[in-house]
Amino acid sequence: MFDFETLRILWWTILVFLVCGFAVLDGFDFGIGILLPFLGKSDYERRVMLNTVGPTWEGSQTWLVTLGGISFGAWSIVYASFFSGLYAGVLVLLFALFLRPVGFDYRSKIADPRWRNAWDWSLFVGGLVPAAVLSLAVGNLIIGLPFQLDGDLRSFYSGSFWDLFQPFTLLCAVIGVALFTLHGAVFLHWRTEGELADRALRVIRWSSPVFAIGFVLAGIWVGLGVDGYRIVSAVDPSVAANPLAKTVIRAPGLWLDNYRLYPGLIIAPLLALTGAWLVVILSSGRHHGVAFLVSGLTVIGAVVTAGGSMFPFMMPSSTHPRDSLTVWDASASEYTLQLLFAVTAVLMPIVLAYTIWVYRVLRGKVTVEQVRGNEHTMY
């Protein structure tokens, strides 16, 4: 089929694709959850907001499950090191995600305003916390995590939960929350009408510059103040490798190396910044569908900027740079990657086709009148 080197690059690409798919499809769900207690001025308006994502939010969340499964199969040492080291953070993420299904399903079961308001804030937490935690995780991967591997390649994490909250990672959290809020507001502006859509447009106009300014500041910080990583020993990407059998240096500005090696990578940050600007213009001009497409490309640009800057590193070690996990030494065996790719090549197009079909069938605006006419069948 493919040689080992190509398979590794393919699976890294698939991993980035799944992260992009999750960020685009679940990102606007998170954004609407964040905006729910503030944009919906009445119970019916909040129900309209929930029903814009009601038919699709569960399917969108399965992208995260798929991402975990693929990581376990293709990048098992990364999966083990990341989830064991950041166990407390992962638990916070999971418990926040637990609020989403019960919030959607239970909110409208009782007409008591206090009951519904409590679930609205639960859904707010279920949107804000995952957006912040996942963005914090990206920030910590960029600066490196304090872990090391022993001779049996067992990972030992030496940091604490509070070490995750550093100035750069907090900036990443602000960027991520602003981006998902923007993405959710664009979707809401597309799927609603009247005053609710006007409020969503106002959110678009302030969340876009917040994201863009934060994104630029993070880029400058990465270029001037954040240590990057570089492999300086010989690497043979076509053979199985031991993560401990390499030499890695760490210094400010090294995360910019790939922009010199692969000049086309500059498209990713330019796409993120240009998309954030265009989304305001398109939404103001009522070009809703195109605005949402551009918003999705903005999310993809931000994700690819982070992943492309770090390549081939997947999980750098800030305390033992040699132990950093890379595309070339953290993958499963060649046979495993071939088997997984054969299955993915069959199933992934089916999943994508079904996803496109669902969004096509369920397109159109959600109105207060629709919710009133379907009191017991809509969220």
Side-chain angles (χ1 to χ4, degrees), residues 250-314:
R250 179 185 176 198
L254 292 184
W255 283 146
L256 301 182
D257 278 0
N258 282 344
Y259 293 94
R260 292 186 289 269
L261 295 173
Y262 315 105
L265 186 60
I266 193 66
I267 293 173
L270 291 178
L271 180 63
L273 291 173
T274 305
W277 170 67
L278 280 176
V279 116
V280 178
I281 296 174
L282 291 168
S283 296
S284 299
R286 305 289 174 176
H287 302 292
H288 304 102
V290 179
F292 181 69
L293 174 62
V294 172
S295 178
L297 291 174
T298 303
V299 175
I300 292 172
V303 172
V304 174
T305 297
S309 299
M310 293 177 60
F311 181 86
F313 288 88
M314 300 182 71

Side-chain angles (χ1 to χ4, degrees), residues 36-82:
L36 182 63
F38 308 105
L39 260 60
K41 302 302 182 183
S42 68
D43 180 63
Y44 278 113
E45 285 189 342
R46 293 183 179 185
R47 292 186 68 181
V48 166
M49 294 176 67
L50 293 176
N51 281 284
T52 59
V53 297
T56 58
W57 72 268
E58 289 175 294
S60 298
Q61 202 153 291
T62 59
W63 283 73
L64 182 61
V65 179
T66 304
L67 180 61
I70 289 298
S71 301
F72 177 79
W75 309 100
S76 55
I77 189 171
V78 176
Y79 176 93
S81 300
F82 184 85

Side-chain angles (χ1 to χ4, degrees), residues 5 15 17 36 39 59 85 118-119 136 143 150-151 158 183-184 190-191 221 247 255 260 318 325 352:
E5 178 182 358
L15 190 70
F17 172 77
L36 182 63
L39 260 60
W119 284 116
L136 275 171
I143 65 175
D150 68 6
S158 57
H183 196 38
W190 181 24
R191 296 294 306 278
W221 202 335
T247 304
W255 283 146
R260 292 186 289 269
S318 58
L325 301 175
L352 291 175

Side-chain angles (χ1 to χ4, degrees), residues 164-207:
L164 301 176
F165 300 91
Q166 301 185 42
F168 178 77
T169 64
L170 291 173
L171 174 60
C172 290
V174 172
I175 294 169
V177 171
L179 179 58
F180 287 141
T181 301
L182 170 65
H183 196 38
V186 172
F187 186 77
L188 196 63
H189 187 242
W190 181 24
R191 296 294 306 278
T192 61
E193 57 185 23
E195 293 184 4
L196 185 55
D198 293 338
R199 292 184 210 118
L201 181 58
R202 288 196 289 272
V203 173
I204 293 169
R205 288 171 175 165
W206 66 254
S207 58

Side-chain angles (χ1 to χ4, degrees), residues 5-25:
E5 178 182 358
T6 303
L7 280 169
R8 284 166 159 166
I9 295 174
L10 276 174
W11 274 105
W12 179 83
T13 304
I14 291 171
L15 190 70
V16 173
F17 172 77
L18 289 172
V19 173
C20 289
F22 169 71
V24 170
L25 295 178

